[in-house]
Amino acid sequence: MLRGLEFETWTAPVDRARNRVDVACFVGLARRSERALPPLVLAWLAREGWVDAPGQPKSEDVRFGDTWALDDSPHLPIPIDDWSAFKQLFRGRSTAADGASEVDYLAAAVRSFFVQGGRRCYVVAVGAPMAWDTERVQRLEALPSILPQLSGNVSAISATERRDWRGVGVLHGVEEASWLALPDLPFLAAADIVELEPFEPEEQPFDAFEECSEHLPEVPETVRSRVAAPRCDSEEYREWATWIATARRFLQSFRRDMQLVAAVPLPQRGSWAARDLLGALAEWRIWGGSVVEPEHAFASRFVQLVYPWLRWSGSAGLPEDIEPPDGTFLGVLARATLQQGAYRSAVGQPIRELRSVVPPLSRAQQEQEGPDGRVLLERISLLGPSVEGPTLLSDVTSAEEEVWRTANIVRLHAVWIRALRQAGETMVFEPSSETVWAAVRDRVDQVGRILFRDGALRGRSADESFSVRCDRNTMSQADIDAGRLVAEVGYLPAAPVERIFIALALSEDQRVDVVRELAEGQS
């Protein structure tokens, strides 16, 4: 028998597939293990220009974890293809010097992502997890590392200077990612956390489904965790919304093919938000009311909110043994995208291994109207019990416009943006000419015909369901003289929307940008 012999396996990072829309990027607090990065990962980082490139760190300097201070640490996107790979590179929860355990929500989210069926994600660690009793003022200090430029000047995050890419700015170079997750945000913005009084747990299984009850009792906290989950009231919700709005501005400016999937923080027990979440957020001028303060304005197609929080075997050891739902939700979306396509709603998808949700929401609570007349199910993507077991109850964005509220339409739109961008990028070194214009039309036309064949578009024929233009009608003579190529797509999604238009431009500095979008109203 051989003792002390250990084998490690690692899946080689594959080349980028930028048309994929099932890849998540988790940005937050995670502690690198002392193990060296596998050679294949280092080789991938070098090939993609993250190390051993001008202005970038050397591969030997980033090979081992925890050797950098928070302010100096290179924010590298590490490709992860399964949970075992994450465990090789990042440590689990540990205990701080004062005996308080760390809260590792990023690791929990990644684990749930893979449990639910996700196949690939990126992890960007900006610092080490914090102990649950870290004071709020210290927790807030970590947020600028995750989301730079709180002032709203997201243009200061350079799209071309890789050395400036920190936190979510790393997404400038992670073109494969289609979703952004910030699992630590509810914890970092929450009020100071307290210990719970000890008592014996009493599990509430999902077969206690009550469709018509107005309010369901809260599931008792488990005794295994003596720490309360992070919770928010008006001040903390406003802080959370400010950072969500910052992420929204970044995606809207630079990554219009992506969405932020964000967990709604738990409300303080007995608070207004615990009774009426939408009403409280509107009253606090955060969301859904007649007046929303600009710094909190996150409602858009680029933000998809998820609620409530979840308890399953993998959340044991976290405060109250529950975790934010964003990792689970992303895994469900990834699985649904791989099985049925990005353009179909994920409603009804089963949630694996889920024991209970906190707080439990009755049907009356799910259909409680906000100030704008829209119910909770129409504003937030909800998970919970159904007659068929734990499932995804709604799949919506936070957009105010009706046309963008259905999340699968937004994901279909992202497919078109990626197809247009990829077609343009293959031509970046070609002079703008009718030959190049035809090649762009042909590439995008192929994507449209595949989408029509798979049922993503509405119409009696492919020619009726979409159109692609890239000619003298989409470009002025000034555009042509400057070498600027503009391509335009109009399409009919298989949903009650008249038509959506999108235009991308390939500029003389060889960047491909969305320059115009228009969604016509419902039919």
Side-chain angles (χ1 to χ4, degrees), residues 223-352:
V223 75
R224 285 179 295 180
S225 173
R226 293 277 303 279
V227 179
R231 294 176 184 267
C232 294
D233 210 338
S234 59
E235 177 184 351
E236 295 83 25
Y237 271 117
R238 289 166 69 85
E239 185 76 43
W240 167 80
T242 300
W243 292 100
I244 294 290
T246 301
R248 187 270 301 167
R249 288 192 294 270
F250 175 82
L251 296 181
Q252 189 169 349
S253 298
F254 299 112
R255 289 300 307 269
R256 299 182 71 88
D257 58 336
M258 288 192 70
Q259 280 185 296
L260 167 66
V261 172
V264 178
L266 289 171
Q268 293 283 11
R269 291 182 178 84
S271 67
W272 184 1
R275 299 187 302 272
D276 181 5
L277 182 61
L278 294 181
L281 295 180
E283 179 65 22
W284 297 330
R285 298 187 175 186
I286 296 174
W287 184 39
S290 57
V291 179
V292 177
E293 296 174 357
E295 63 268 30
H296 303 142
F298 64 78
S300 76
R301 76 169 202 250
F302 300 101
V303 177
Q304 189 163 6
L305 301 178
V306 194
Y307 194 69
W309 288 37
L310 313 176
R311 177 179 286 117
W312 68 292
S313 60
S315 61
L318 292 169
E320 290 186 48
D321 283 354
I322 58 177
E323 67 180 61
D326 41 2
T328 292
F329 181 76
L330 285 170
V332 172
L333 283 188
R335 184 212 317 154
T337 297
L338 292 167
Q339 290 178 348
Q340 62 187 28
Y343 45 85
R344 299 190 191 280
S345 174
V347 170
Q349 284 288 324
I351 303 172
R352 299 168 179 169

Side-chain angles (χ1 to χ4, degrees), residues 278 288 367-379 399-402 405:
L278 294 181
E367 298 179 352
Q368 186 175 22
E369 288 188 1
D372 59 1
R374 300 186 182 113
V375 302
L376 195 65
L377 276 166
E378 297 173 324
R379 301 293 264 163
E400 300 289 355
E401 307 92 339
E402 191 73 27
R405 193 167 303 122

Side-chain angles (χ1 to χ4, degrees), residues 303-457:
V303 177
Q304 189 163 6
L305 301 178
V306 194
Y307 194 69
W309 288 37
L310 313 176
R311 177 179 286 117
W312 68 292
S313 60
S315 61
L318 292 169
E320 290 186 48
D321 283 354
I322 58 177
E323 67 180 61
D326 41 2
T328 292
F329 181 76
L330 285 170
V332 172
L333 283 188
R335 184 212 317 154
T337 297
L338 292 167
Q339 290 178 348
Q340 62 187 28
Y343 45 85
R344 299 190 191 280
S345 174
V347 170
Q349 284 288 324
I351 303 172
R352 299 168 179 169
E353 301 188 31
L354 190 59
R355 293 179 179 174
S356 58
V357 297
V358 178
L361 299 174
S362 67
R363 178 58 62 87
Q365 290 170 301
Q366 295 169 14
E367 298 179 352
Q368 186 175 22
E369 288 188 1
D372 59 1
R374 300 186 182 113
V375 302
L376 195 65
L377 276 166
E378 297 173 324
R379 301 293 264 163
I380 297 175
S381 297
L382 300 181
L383 304 90
S386 72
V387 293
E388 297 180 350
T391 189
L392 181 59
L393 303 175
S394 59
D395 182 16
V396 294
T397 74
S398 63
E400 300 289 355
E401 307 92 339
E402 191 73 27
V403 68
W404 294 119
R405 193 167 303 122
T406 305
N408 53 296
I409 287 184
V410 176
R411 296 193 289 268
L412 172 61
H413 196 64
V415 172
W416 280 112
I417 291 177
R418 288 165 182 254
L420 278 166
R421 179 173 290 141
Q422 192 167 4
E425 287 177 349
T426 60
M427 311 293 175
V428 292
F429 298 111
E430 299 289 337
S432 185
S433 65
E434 294 192 7
T435 301
V436 172
W437 304 343
V440 169
R441 290 195 302 268
D442 289 344
R443 290 286 298 272
V444 180
D445 184 81
Q446 292 174 18
V447 174
R449 293 186 181 279
I450 292 172
L451 290 172
F452 174 76
R453 181 197 65 195
D454 292 345
L457 305 179

Side-chain angles (χ1 to χ4, degrees), residues 1-2 14-15 28 34 53 89 93 166 240 270 306 408 463 514:
M1 179 183 295
L2 293 175
V14 297
D15 290 335
E34 296 177 356
L89 296 182
R93 290 188 291 272
R166 303 184 64 77
W240 167 80
V306 194
N408 53 296
D463 292 336
V514 177

Side-chain angles (χ1 to χ4, degrees), residues 76-131:
L76 302 177
I78 305 298
I80 305 290
D81 290 325
D82 55 45
W83 174 240
S84 63
F86 180 89
K87 290 192 297 181
Q88 287 182 36
L89 296 182
F90 296 91
R91 299 182 192 174
R93 290 188 291 272
S94 60
T95 301
D98 61 357
S101 60
E102 291 178 340
V103 179
D104 198 349
Y105 282 127
L106 188 146
V110 172
R111 180 178 182 180
S112 294
F113 174 77
F114 286 114
V115 166
Q116 297 301 328
R119 297 288 183 86
R120 164 166 275 212
C121 71
Y122 290 85
V123 173
V124 181
V126 304
M130 298 182 180

